[in-house]
């Protein structure tokens, strides 16, 4: 792909302040794997209005773009991304509570939404208190943990299509499945979500969150950079057990390793490259397929050139 033209940057500047336009931005700063080369253009987005102008334009001139949340499920190649990354983060992260409903911007961290639910005495979102992603990413992936998932609490999702039009999807229209949704299968951008929770006992909600936090610390390698569970759970199996039974506990390439603590996690020991992590993923997939006939599909999204 050619470099983004000066004319394109002029168009971007009409809607995005100069300080929010970052050229050749290192993506390791924006992913929980802490790896990744440079994005040719990185935009910090503050409003749906900006997206409504930029997305149709990028589509028209055929510039690839990627919507970034908290980068908790993303592996960016070492050679970077030759396109535009639009970060929906803290500037679109307002959280408000009305009765048993919480309305939150796509950039709000799931952990912060869960904390607000706790403070408001609302139950149903305890499972999300330790998920490192944003609400937007959580809705796209139907994020879940410990028998909870987003589809259990979603009432409405406000999205934008590639024409810049805003639409509202209810829970049934979202087509939630295991780590998937209608948004993942279409070019929609999450703007905000409305969650319908239930009134609960604050002490019980807090106790549940603390219990799940303890379980995470005991079973997950939280002290290392990772993208959480690297692989989806295959029908009838547990990915971590398949990987362990394939003899891959502790398997490493460069600074990337299959966690000894939880084989479903591939971790960055501090010096990994994206290529190291991708190679470990490929080796795990091949060995598990060879030994058990099961293909492990990744939860992690690959972006850019490796």
């Amino acid at each position: 792909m050619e470099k983004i033209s000066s004319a394109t940057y002029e168009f971007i500047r009409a809607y995005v302040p100069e300080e929010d336009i970052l050229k050749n931005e290192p993506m390791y700063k924006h992913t929980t794997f802490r790896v990744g080369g440079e994005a040719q253009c990185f935009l910090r987005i503050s409003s749906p209005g900006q997206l409504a102008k930029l997305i149709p334009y990028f589509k028209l001139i055929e510039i690839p773009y990627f919507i970034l949340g908290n980068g908790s499920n993303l592996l960016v190649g070492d050679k970077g991304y030759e396109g535009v990354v639009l970060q929906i983060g803290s500037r679109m992260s307002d959280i408000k509570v009305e009765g048993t409903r919480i309305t939150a911007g796509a950039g709000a961290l799931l952990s912060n939404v869960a904390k607000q639910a706790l403070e408001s005495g609302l139950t149903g979102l305890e499972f999300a208190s330790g998920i490192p992603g944003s609400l937007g990413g959580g809705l796209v992936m139907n994020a879940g943990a410990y028998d909870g998932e987003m589809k259990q609490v979603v009432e409405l999702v406000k999205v934008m299509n590639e024409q810049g039009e805003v639409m509202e999807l209810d829970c049934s229209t979202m087509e939630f499945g295991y780590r998937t949704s209608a948004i993942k299968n279409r070019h929609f951008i999450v703007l905000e979500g409305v969650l319908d929770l239930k009134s609960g006992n604050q002490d019980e909600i807090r106790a549940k969150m603390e219990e799940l936090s303890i379980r995470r610390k005991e079973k997950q390698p939280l002290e290392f950079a990772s993208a959480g569970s690297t692989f989806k759970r295959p029908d009838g199996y547990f990915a971590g057990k398949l990987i362990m039974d394939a003899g891959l506990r502790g398997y490493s390439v460069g600074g990337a390793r299959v966690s000894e603590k939880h084989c479903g996690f591939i971790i960055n020991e501090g010096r990994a490259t994206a290529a190291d992590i991708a190679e470990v993923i490929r080796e795990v997939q091949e060995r598990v397929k060879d030994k058990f006939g099961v293909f492990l599909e990744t939860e992690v999204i690959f972006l850019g050139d490796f």
Side-chain angles (χ1 to χ4, degrees), residues 25-284:
E25 175 68 3
M27 288 301 292
Y28 72 83
K29 296 180 178 180
H30 304 286
T31 71
T32 58
F33 260 135
R34 298 290 176 255
V35 299
E38 296 177 345
Q40 189 176 163
C41 178
F42 186 99
L43 305 178
R44 292 189 291 234
I45 298 299
S46 299
S47 72
Q50 291 174 316
L51 294 171
K53 297 294 185 181
L54 294 171
I55 297 303
Y57 175 73
F58 293 152
K59 182 172 171 57
L60 177 68
I61 64 173
E62 299 182 337
I63 286 183
Y65 66 88
F66 182 81
I67 304 298
L68 176 72
N70 198 44
S72 61
N73 220 21
L74 182 66
L75 181 61
V76 181
D78 300 308
K79 296 177 184 176
Y81 178 63
E82 291 191 344
V84 181
V85 173
L86 301 102
Q87 183 189 47
I88 297 178
S90 59
R91 286 110 180 271
M92 291 178 62
S93 64
D94 288 350
I95 303 170
K96 60 182 179 181
V97 181
E98 295 176 300
T100 58
R101 287 180 176 82
I102 294 182
T103 302
L109 293 178
L110 278 171
S111 56
N112 287 343
V113 182
K115 182 181 177 183
Q116 186 63 62
L118 166 63
E119 292 174 356
S120 304
L122 298 177
T123 184
L125 204 58
E126 290 89 336
F127 73 89
S129 59
I131 296 177
S134 65
L135 177 67
L139 291 170
V140 172
M141 295 292 294
N142 186 25
Y146 299 109
D147 300 321
E149 54 188 349
M150 295 305 296
K151 76 173 185 180
Q152 297 169 354
V153 296
V154 168
E155 178 176 295
L156 199 71
V157 181
K158 186 179 289 186
V159 301
M160 181 180 291
N161 65 18
E162 286 192 300
Q163 289 71 49
E165 300 164 339
V166 176
M167 300 174 288
E168 292 185 344
L169 308 177
D170 63 20
C171 190
S172 61
T173 313
M174 282 290 292
E175 300 173 10
F176 283 123
Y178 176 63
R179 301 299 175 264
T180 191
S181 71
I183 300 169
K184 188 177 181 184
N185 300 321
R186 296 172 178 81
H187 295 290
F188 292 162
I189 301 167
V190 178
L191 302 178
E192 69 176 29
V194 180
L195 310 181
D196 187 15
L197 305 177
K198 293 180 171 60
S199 295
N201 180 286
Q202 199 170 44
D203 290 336
E204 291 176 0
I205 297 166
R206 182 180 291 106
K208 181 65 173 179
M209 287 183 174
E210 289 173 353
E211 176 203 336
L212 295 181
S213 177
I214 290 168
R215 288 169 65 182
R216 281 189 176 91
K217 289 173 183 175
E218 288 175 347
K219 297 183 178 180
Q220 299 179 10
L222 302 180
E223 66 273 26
F224 292 101
S226 78
S229 296
T230 307
F231 303 98
K232 294 181 181 180
R233 186 181 66 245
D235 286 342
Y237 299 92
F238 291 101
K241 188 172 190 314
L242 288 172
I243 296 165
M244 181 176 67
D245 291 347
L248 288 163
R249 170 177 266 163
Y251 174 79
S252 66
V253 173
R257 177 183 295 273
V258 174
S259 169
E260 288 93 339
K261 195 173 187 179
H262 189 315
C263 291
F265 284 61
I266 293 173
I267 59 174
N268 175 3
E269 295 187 298
R271 52 188 175 84
T273 63
D276 292 341
I277 295 168
E279 181 58 32
V280 172
I281 289 172
R282 280 193 292 270
E283 184 67 18
V284 166

